Amino acid sequence: MASANEKTGRHLDDDFMGHDDNKMTVKEYLSTRISTLKPPMHRPPNPIKVLGSLSKMNWMMFLLAFLGWTWDAFDFFTVSLTVTELAEEFGKSKTDITWGITLVLMLRSVGSIVFGLAADRYGRKWPWVINNLLFIIFELATGFCNTYEQFLGVRACFGIAMGGLYGNAAATALEDVPPEARGIISGMLQQGYAFGYLLAVVFARALVDTTSHGWRPFFWFGACPPVLLIIGRLLLPETQAYQRRMAMRQDGDGIEKTFFREGKVALRRYWLMLIYLVLLMSGFNFMSHGSQDLYPTMLRNQLEFSANKVTVTQVIANLGAITGGTVVGYCSEVFGRRLSILTMCVLGAALIYPYGFLKDERIAAAAFFEQFAVQGAWGVVPIHLMELSPAGFRTFVVGTSYQLGNLVSSASSTIEATIGERFPLPPTASGVQRYVYGKVIAIFMACVFTYLFVLVLIGPERKDRQMTEGDGIEEAVYPTKHDAETGHMREAKGKDGSLNREISSTESDPKPKQDTVEYKTATAPGGATA
């Protein structure tokens, strides 16, 4: 077996996570976690030239995915921005209304599983169309709810629909882009969520309680843009990466059998990676929810900011988020995925004190840079998940790991609020109880940054991985055509005569071309593969 210092960082990670023929022990793997952080020190690519390398189709796919993710966030925040109005409408407390948010978070994992498997089996297009049709139905239905029970039922169904979009959006935007553009496109895509929140704030001001219908026009309007998203997706083809994988499946014993064989191989080889990704996304979601969900309450309750001050501070924070995600996503192409995330964890931890303890307008500056760090780390997430996921189940793994992490972290604001009530402040002149939420947010975020730092430090990285790399498909499709002794696998000629390739599973290219096809298999230590 090759020694650890004879291999590149990427191949060391491949060894442990099941992508190299040479096994690597856990001790050897952990001994490389610091050394593999060293960036290659290549000259940073010109971001304008990098973006210019995208084809027209790449841009259209990205724009569609970005707008879909943006409106997914918009529709989610329609409830959180109208809690007071909904409580008055249904005669319930604000806490009762927040169950509409909790149900969405709880059921998003169901949607990610259902729509993720559908997108990996039947393509990205039709699950996207169905997903957005459901958005239209459930947003319209929310606007027509007359009872609290109807409201909860509709929002529960909306949660399933919402959970199905993220993995599909990531695959649509990133599968076919040139490797050197993945980082910046990943950062730009992720910030669709922050952009969706900004749009929701603007349209809430314009549509809530400005007509005789109260809060309902806000939800009715939210159902309109998905129509354009459906039309746009119908006009675009499947991604090239998915088309190539389907061509491989068609040369097996039928697409269905091949798909299920792939699933068995992927599960056997990727179980360790799947566990890691869920733990990773739990940390990321704790970081975002812990720093954001209770923050407006802190501004209003602890600092007694007016509604306008709260809005301005939140907008400034989200501008920081959008900037951070784009900049750090781009930088991850130069410094690597893990080092970029770790740097943002350190920056975010350093800013905890001003973020939680400043008591005047200056806190807006702290909020800008804290969210720059938080969402800067998040900007690396889409492409990092894509590169670590098995090719044949990329939509399912990306979406499900994200949504399961979301489920684990869904109690963040409840935890912070409960602990915050142990640190009371003098009540307001009107008798409203006040609490020191800033201290609790600071302690909570310190724990989260520490957890995420350790997890990313010991975790793998597969930067520049080809999106067409196989993860056992050569065994599923061509079980008798792999020469284990030479490491070569000859593919049979396709039914249409288009496939006639010889691929070496031992060859490696640290910076592969976009359209190169390469398939590799391996077993990780202890028989666990990923």
Side-chain angles (χ1 to χ4, degrees):
M1 181 175 67
S3 63
N5 58 6
E6 292 175 341
K7 295 187 176 185
T8 66
R10 176 190 163 183
H11 297 114
L12 289 166
D13 292 350
D14 287 350
D15 281 357
F16 183 65
M17 303 312 282
H19 296 282
D20 197 278
D21 291 331
N22 297 316
K23 294 181 181 179
M24 189 180 200
T25 66
V26 174
K27 182 178 179 180
E28 288 175 324
Y29 172 82
L30 292 177
S31 70
T32 65
R33 293 305 81 200
I34 301 297
S35 61
T36 52
L37 288 174
K38 182 180 179 180
M41 302 307 292
H42 295 152
R43 183 178 179 180
N46 185 321
I48 304 300
K49 291 184 179 180
V50 168
L51 293 176
S53 69
L54 270 68
S55 67
K56 181 180 178 181
M57 184 58 67
N58 290 151
W59 278 115
M60 293 173 69
M61 289 289 198
F62 165 75
L63 182 61
L64 182 75
F66 177 82
L67 293 176
W69 184 227
T70 294
W71 215 254
D72 192 342
F74 180 99
D75 287 344
F76 174 73
F77 286 116
T78 50
V79 171
S80 60
L81 292 172
T82 55
V83 169
T84 301
E85 291 78 10
L86 290 167
E88 293 176 358
E89 177 76 25
F90 300 128
K92 297 289 182 177
S93 68
K94 294 179 182 179
T95 302
D96 290 332
I97 297 301
T98 59
W99 271 103
I101 300 174
T102 302
L103 284 173
V104 170
L105 294 174
M106 291 174 63
L107 290 169
R108 278 161 68 165
S109 299
V110 177
S112 68
I113 294 172
V114 173
F115 285 98
L117 289 174
D120 287 325
R121 165 59 185 88
Y122 299 105
R124 318 309 191 203
K125 179 182 291 189
W126 290 107
W128 175 282
V129 170
I130 296 172
N131 221 159
N132 280 277
L133 279 173
L134 294 177
F135 282 157
I136 295 171
I137 293 170
F138 296 135
E139 277 296 281
L140 283 175
T142 304
F144 285 105
C145 286
N146 293 314
T147 68
Y148 177 66
E149 290 73 19
Q150 291 175 353
F151 169 74
L152 289 183
V154 170
R155 297 314 290 179
C157 294
F158 173 81
I160 297 175
M162 184 180 183
L165 193 100
Y166 183 77
N168 200 330
T172 299
L174 295 168
E175 276 189 322
D176 293 341
V177 300
E180 64 273 10
R182 291 175 184 171
I184 191 169
I185 293 298
S186 171
M188 292 166 63
L189 172 67
Q190 184 61 36
Q191 299 325 303
Y193 199 77
F195 187 54
Y197 174 79
L198 289 178
L199 290 179
V201 170
V202 172
F203 282 101
R205 289 268 180 154
L207 298 173
V208 176
D209 289 336
T210 57
T211 71
S212 59
H213 297 290
W215 52 271
R216 298 178 188 273
F218 190 30
F219 290 86
W220 295 336
F221 173 75
C224 297
V227 175
L228 300 178
L229 296 174
I230 291 172
I231 295 173
R233 192 64 189 91
L234 289 174
L235 295 175
L236 294 175
E238 293 288 355
T239 63
Q240 293 178 18
Y242 177 77
Q243 291 182 52
R244 284 192 288 269
R245 182 152 290 272
M246 284 300 294
M248 293 290 291
R249 288 171 177 165
Q250 287 172 354
D251 284 327
D253 296 332
I255 294 177
E256 294 293 342
K257 289 184 178 180
T258 303
F259 179 74
F260 286 112
R261 285 179 183 171
E262 279 188 71
K264 292 179 181 179
V265 174
L267 183 61
R268 188 176 73 246
R269 299 187 174 196
Y270 267 79
W271 68 268
L272 181 60
M273 180 73 84
L274 292 173
I275 294 173
Y276 172 77
L277 291 180
V278 172
L279 293 174
L280 180 70
M281 295 316 298
S282 298
F284 267 101
N285 280 290
F286 270 120
M287 181 173 65
S288 58
H289 288 298
S291 66
Q292 296 167 1
D293 290 1
L294 198 65
Y295 205 67
T297 302
M298 186 201 82
L299 297 175
R300 286 192 302 267
N301 182 275
Q302 180 182 336
L303 304 185
E304 298 184 271
F305 276 18
S306 66
N308 283 336
K309 275 189 177 182
V310 172
T311 299
V312 170
T313 303
Q314 287 294 89
V315 168
I316 291 174
N318 276 272
L319 291 175
I322 293 171
T323 305
T326 304
V327 171
V328 179
Y330 165 72
C331 290
S332 73
E333 283 299 323
V334 180
F335 301 108
R337 315 299 187 209
R338 290 166 59 232
L339 183 58
S340 298
I341 295 171
L342 293 174
T343 302
M344 290 301 101
C345 286
V346 173
L347 176 62
L351 291 167
I352 285 176
Y353 181 81
Y355 188 66
F357 289 91
L358 288 178
K359 298 180 179 179
D360 53 30
E361 291 82 357
R362 294 176 300 169
I363 202 170
F368 178 93
F369 288 107
E370 181 71 12
Q371 289 306 311
F372 180 99
V374 170
Q375 292 302 317
W378 264 101
V380 186
V381 166
I383 191 57
H384 193 42
L385 292 181
M386 292 278 288
E387 290 170 338
L388 292 177
S389 299
F393 293 84
R394 188 170 288 133
T395 305
F396 165 75
V397 171
V398 171
T400 301
S401 60
Y402 170 76
Q403 300 299 358
L404 285 176
N406 224 332
L407 176 62
V408 172
S409 67
S410 61
S412 297
S413 58
T414 303
I415 294 171
E416 290 177 332
T418 301
I419 298 176
E421 291 174 359
R422 299 182 181 180
F423 302 96
L425 287 170
T428 65
S430 58
V432 176
Q433 293 295 320
R434 296 170 60 233
Y435 303 98
V436 187
Y437 291 121
K439 179 188 294 186
V440 178
I441 291 175
I443 296 172
F444 187 88
M445 290 305 299
C447 296
V448 171
F449 280 128
T450 301
Y451 166 82
L452 193 58
F453 186 94
V454 173
L455 200 63
V456 173
L457 180 63
I458 66 174
E461 178 176 340
R462 300 195 70 202
K463 182 178 175 295
D464 296 330
R465 172 201 179 173
Q466 297 179 64
M467 290 302 172
T468 50
E469 277 189 24
D471 303 283
I473 191 173
E474 63 275 22
E475 289 186 3
V477 183
Y478 306 102
T480 63
K481 293 186 168 112
H482 185 266
D483 187 340
E485 196 171 313
T486 65
H488 282 71
M489 182 270 292
R490 295 180 181 273
E491 294 185 9
K493 190 173 183 180
K495 296 176 182 178
D496 60 354
S498 62
L499 289 177
N500 187 8
R501 302 187 288 262
E502 183 180 56
I503 301 168
S504 172
S505 64
T506 59
E507 294 175 356
S508 62
D509 181 0
K511 193 80 173 178
K513 295 181 181 179
Q514 179 187 3
D515 294 325
T516 304
V517 180
E518 179 183 357
Y519 302 101
K520 295 196 263 188
T521 62
T523 304
T529 55

